[in-house]
Amino acid sequence: MGLLDGKFAVVTGAASARGLGKATAKLFAEHGATVAILDLDQAQAEAAAADLGPNHVGMACNVIDKAQVQQVMDALIEKWGQIDILVNNAGITQPLKFMEIEPENYEAVTDVSLRGTLYCTQAVVPHMRQRKSGSIVNLSSVSAQRGGGIFGGPHYSAAKAGVLGLTKASARELAPDNVRVNAICPGFIATDITQGKLTPEMKEQVLAGIPMGRAGEAIDVAGCALFLASDLSAYCTGTEVDVNGGSLIH
């Protein structure tokens, strides 16, 4: 018995082979869910979905294009009859210092993480409300809580802190309709984004700040997403769950 048997899940930004989205989609599929992988590139999204097995779907979707997001979600609802789970994973990061952030940097980073999360959530909410059922999982970051210090610049911290505010406010508003919204705050995770961009010295410095003494793996985050997507967390909404090896203990 899988935890997500008979459920239909959408994961954004999930085509990257070593990313959090792909690991989450894979674990959901292993637990019985039918998954749609959304990413900018149609062919990459389709290939990633095919990796999960038959019946899964890959679709091109730019999360900051509100009309396209709505179109894609509507097409999935028509195809499946329901969307039970949305994971807002799409995001980009840039290791810039405070004074290096130009308008285009700010827009690029906040658009995908924050505006994308808003648009994708808006596109599924009427359907979930109607069914009085749904779980939305938003990806924030330890950078939002501790003020950067790992990889992303201050604009990334701000965008991911915005995701926390959006998570809590939408959770409060949607709770009467049994639609749950929760956030995950990963710490330093070994993914395509971080791979190769940290010097050995930087990596050593980051690991020194993690009590568990290792970088996280994508599966560590995926496991948490599985819990939040499933009925195991039926009474959890508006929460932020830390997956950081102890690098920030409140």
Side-chain angles (χ1 to χ4, degrees):
M1 275 290 286
L3 287 171
L4 301 179
D5 282 342
K7 302 279 190 186
F8 293 83
V10 178
V11 186
T12 69
S16 174
R18 295 182 66 248
L20 305 183
K22 180 76 183 289
T24 299
K26 185 171 183 290
L27 189 60
F28 282 12
E30 286 167 4
H31 275 267
T34 304
V35 182
I37 285 179
L38 308 188
D39 217 299
L40 285 171
D41 186 284
Q42 176 81 25
Q44 286 179 5
E46 285 176 355
D51 280 349
L52 304 181
N55 304 324
H56 304 291
V57 183
M59 295 177 84
C61 184
N62 179 356
V63 296
I64 65 172
D65 180 339
K66 194 173 194 296
Q68 189 188 28
V69 168
Q70 191 67 61
Q71 201 179 341
V72 167
M73 297 301 185
D74 288 348
L76 286 169
I77 291 166
E78 194 169 321
K79 179 182 175 65
W80 288 341
Q82 66 198 76
I83 292 175
D84 302 284
I85 299 153
L86 168 65
V87 180
N88 284 306
N89 168 75
I92 58 173
T93 186
Q94 297 168 335
L96 299 176
K97 297 277 186 267
F98 191 79
M99 293 304 294
E100 296 168 349
I101 301 165
E102 296 295 337
E104 60 271 20
N105 303 129
Y106 178 85
E107 283 163 16
V109 169
T110 53
D111 264 3
V112 180
S113 282
L114 194 48
R115 191 197 297 252
T117 296
L118 173 68
Y119 287 172
C120 290
T121 303
Q122 285 178 325
V124 299
V125 159
H127 168 73
M128 288 182 171
R129 270 184 159 152
Q130 194 184 344
R131 297 183 65 233
K132 293 278 188 282
S133 174
S135 176
I136 298 165
V137 181
N138 295 332
L139 269 291
S140 180
S141 169
V142 69
S143 295
Q145 301 164 313
R146 53 172 271 174
I150 291 191
F151 188 75
H155 55 329
Y156 177 75
S157 295
K160 291 300 191 180
V163 168
L164 287 182
L166 195 64
T167 298
K168 292 175 182 186
S170 54
R172 188 183 296 277
E173 192 176 324
L174 300 174
D177 291 310
N178 196 38
V179 177
R180 301 184 297 108
V181 191
N182 294 286
I184 300 175
C185 295
F188 179 62
I189 311 290
T191 65
D192 286 343
I193 285 182
T194 52
Q195 207 57 22
K197 291 189 182 173
L198 291 180
T199 63
E201 297 77 32
M202 282 163 75
K203 190 170 182 187
E204 201 176 312
Q205 196 180 339
V206 169
L207 291 179
I210 302 173
M212 287 185 80
R214 68 170 178 91
E217 301 292 330
I219 190 66
D220 295 323
V221 177
C224 193
L226 174 64
F227 164 69
L228 292 174
S230 78
D231 292 339
L232 290 179
S233 59
Y235 199 52
C236 299
T237 197
T239 66
E240 54 189 84
V241 184
D242 298 345
V243 186
N244 63 33
S247 65
L248 180 79
I249 297 175
H250 300 280

